[in-house]
Amino acid sequence: MNPDLTRLSELLPAPSGPGTAPDWDAAEAQLSTVLPEDYKELINTYGGGFIDGYLLLLEPGCPNDVYDQLKINAEREEANDALWQFTEKPSELQAEGSRLVCWATTDNGEYLYWLVRPGDDPDARPLLINDESGEEWEWYDTTVTRFLSAVLCGEIRSQILWENFPLPAHEFRPARTM
């Protein structure tokens, strides 16, 4: 287990007996990109689920389609393409071939993405958070597990995510049980 996932599991206990690991090859083929190793390890440990009653951690091919990364990412690509016909893309996406891949969302309508660029290192991709209006963005140079750990222990305070997140006592509800 990577050190960031170990730290996260101390803050947010993992469910007992995670479900079946996603078909990573099929997911990466559908997303047309290699996914970061820390995210794969996170999903293999936790699966998709609901963190502190607010953040929906997405899992490729999750049987609960609210948590299905492949479905949500496809919806976000379509929605963002429509949005960018009326508003300018974030500067980070101006480079040819740059795109977003969604890994989480919230019950308030914020979305958390990786910024994917041609030839990039999947394990060094920055994270972007978009507010519910689609206009405000935050950038984090960190991995998913390091970001989640830092948010849950208060080291990172997003200006976009809900002000009451995280909760004082952390809870993970696996998508497979909902």
Side-chain angles (χ1 to χ4, degrees), residues 32-34 96-99 115-125:
S32 300
T33 192
V34 173
E96 184 68 32
S98 293
R99 65 191 188 93
L115 174 59
V116 178
R117 297 176 176 146
D120 70 356
D121 175 359
D123 297 318
R125 288 182 178 143

Side-chain angles (χ1 to χ4, degrees), residues 80-155:
N80 286 336
D81 286 345
L83 174 68
W84 293 327
Q85 291 180 12
F86 303 102
T87 185
E88 191 172 337
K89 281 184 182 182
S91 60
E92 296 84 3
L93 291 170
Q94 297 298 333
E96 184 68 32
S98 293
R99 65 191 188 93
L100 299 172
V101 173
C102 190
W103 61 269
T105 185
T106 72
D107 63 356
N108 289 347
E110 295 92 7
Y111 291 91
L112 294 84
Y113 299 96
W114 289 288
L115 174 59
V116 178
R117 297 176 176 146
D120 70 356
D121 175 359
D123 297 318
R125 288 182 178 143
L127 307 179
L128 293 173
I129 302 176
N130 186 216
D131 76 342
E132 73 285 349
S133 74
E135 296 176 6
E136 299 295 322
W137 293 85
E138 287 179 344
W139 170 291
Y140 295 93
D141 267 325
T142 189
T143 64
V144 168
T145 51
R146 188 171 299 142
F147 174 81
L148 290 173
S149 296
V151 166
L152 292 181
C153 74
E155 292 172 1

